Amino acid sequence: MPFFPEPLTGLQKACLKQLSITLHADTICLWLNFFCLTSDPLKIQYQQKESNTTVLCKKKNFQAFMEDTDFVTVLQEDLTIILEESEPELQELHIGFQESEEQIDRVFASIEDLLKPRKDKLKVKNINLEIRNSEQLTSVLQYLDSENLKTVDLKLKGIVDLRNLLELDAWKEKNGLEMNVALDTFLVMDLEALKENLIQQPTFDTVTIYYDRIHQDAFESLHHNHQPLGISHYPHSHKISFSRVHLISPNVIQQAIPYPSTSNSVSGVIGNYVIIRNILKYVGGVDM
């Protein structure tokens, strides 16, 4: 393993819980976090200068210089060894970038190259991705175990069509997810795409949008009746929450409304009236 002399210990393999990759211009930072008391996080830096790569791990007091070597290639080789050795059940996989957008495509492609030949899909509970296009999401999502994946956090840093993102084949077999999406501008077409997806597909239980700006037509549409969905808008925090809401069936309503009593009790009549009024308000917005 190029970045430090000794391989991961057996304990580290079993306790690897977070893997984070962040691209900064000509440097890639790899974080390995372990869920145990005896192993502190490891930070490895891959620096590209001209055609050469330098690998640094301060905690291990390790530095390696490789001529005519690409830093993305070295990262891929290291990750392949880490994942082959440990077969982890990760709490989180993070891939992001601060600069050097032209290099992030290569990073996602390298992640796909190491995930694709694996015998078993990678077990991850939460993915946190910063993406410029839907293809970058697909390059990771399709190789993740559907049973383990629970939460998807996305930062859309490019012009990403939300409808296309929601309709990716890579979502197949993944149900009941919670998704959080940070984007620049929320449009009415995004609202319609989310409504259709949540009503027609079981992929997501909840979707929360964090926006910088919202178009006026989308803002106005949020105040319409969107049953059977639950939609909550928090304009001060620039957040919109979407969730599935199951309407009360007619059978439940019938069971909830008591039959008229032969009793002359005034309290019984008032109680029945209150129950009926509340049910009608919940189902149809009728106020009595």
Side-chain angles (χ1 to χ4, degrees):
M1 190 178 296
F3 63 73
F4 55 88
E6 70 273 15
L8 296 178
T9 66
L11 180 60
Q12 287 175 323
K13 294 176 187 179
C15 296
L16 180 61
K17 289 301 179 184
Q18 184 183 36
L19 194 155
S20 176
I21 303 163
T22 305
L23 176 64
H24 304 267
D26 57 356
T27 300
I28 301 173
C29 292
L30 172 64
W31 283 89
L32 302 176
N33 286 335
F34 307 93
F35 190 70
C36 57
L37 298 178
T38 56
S39 293
D40 294 327
L42 288 176
K43 179 183 179 182
I44 303 97
Q45 292 181 300
Y46 303 80
Q47 299 176 349
Q48 184 81 51
K49 187 173 182 180
E50 297 178 350
S51 61
N52 306 317
T53 296
T54 300
V55 182
L56 301 171
C57 182
K58 293 182 179 179
K59 187 172 183 60
K60 293 288 184 178
N61 193 27
F62 177 78
Q63 178 173 331
F65 177 80
M66 287 160 277
E67 294 183 347
D68 299 322
T69 306
D70 178 72
F71 69 150
V72 176
T73 302
V74 179
L75 169 71
Q76 180 181 339
E77 292 173 353
D78 286 351
L79 286 175
T80 300
I81 295 174
I82 292 170
L83 296 178
E84 282 180 352
E85 287 187 348
S86 56
E87 288 295 332
E89 293 188 15
L90 295 175
Q91 188 74 19
E92 180 176 81
L93 170 64
H94 166 259
I95 304 174
F97 61 98
Q98 301 298 323
E99 303 174 42
S100 191
E101 294 185 5
E102 66 277 3
Q103 294 284 7
I104 194 62
D105 284 328
R106 297 185 58 235
V107 172
F108 274 102
S110 71
I111 300 300
E112 181 175 17
D113 288 342
L114 72 90
L115 292 178
K116 188 174 182 178
R118 288 173 55 88
K119 180 180 178 181
D120 298 317
K121 292 189 175 183
L122 187 64
K123 296 179 180 179
V124 183
K125 185 175 181 180
N126 174 51
I127 57 171
N128 186 334
L129 306 179
E130 300 174 25
I131 61 174
R132 297 174 59 240
N133 51 61
S134 298
E135 289 75 15
Q136 292 175 345
L137 173 60
T138 300
S139 67
V140 175
L141 184 62
Q142 61 183 325
Y143 302 111
L144 303 183
D145 183 82
S146 298
E147 294 295 325
N148 286 75
L149 187 62
K150 303 300 180 185
T151 307
V152 177
D153 296 331
L154 299 176
K155 289 185 178 180
L156 309 185
K157 290 190 170 182
I159 302 175
V160 182
D161 187 303
L162 193 57
R163 180 179 293 276
N164 289 341
L165 187 147
L166 293 169
E167 294 177 353
L168 292 174
D169 289 339
W171 294 115
K172 289 182 178 179
E173 299 181 0
K174 294 175 174 60
N175 298 326
L177 297 177
E178 173 187 341
M179 183 165 72
N180 303 293
V181 181
L183 46 74
D184 180 76
T185 305
F186 187 72
L187 308 173
V188 69
M189 63 182 68
D190 299 328
L191 173 62
E192 296 303 320
L194 282 165
K195 287 168 54 180
E196 291 177 19
N197 184 276
L198 284 167
I199 292 173
Q200 298 174 8
Q201 303 295 333
T203 309
F204 305 103
D205 277 350
T206 63
V207 176
T208 302
I209 301 293
Y210 298 86
Y211 61 85
D212 288 340
R213 290 178 290 274
I214 183 171
H215 274 202
Q216 184 63 28
D217 52 356
F219 178 83
E220 294 173 355
S221 296
L222 285 171
H223 298 281
H224 297 164
N225 187 347
H226 296 288
Q227 289 186 355
L229 294 180
I231 301 180
S232 300
H233 185 206
Y234 308 91
H236 293 295
S237 55
H238 290 208
K239 182 175 75 171
I240 311 168
S241 296
F242 298 79
S243 64
R244 300 179 188 277
V245 175
H246 300 286
L247 294 177
I248 299 178
S249 68
N251 291 334
V252 174
I253 296 175
Q254 186 175 1
Q255 294 173 11
I257 302 176
Y259 288 102
S261 172
T262 57
S263 170
N264 293 326
S265 170
V266 175
S267 62
V269 174
I270 294 175
N272 292 348
Y273 170 80
V274 172
I275 293 173
I276 295 171
R277 184 191 66 182
N278 289 339
I279 292 176
L280 289 175
K281 286 180 67 177
Y282 177 81
V283 176
V286 178
D287 198 356
M288 297 175 61

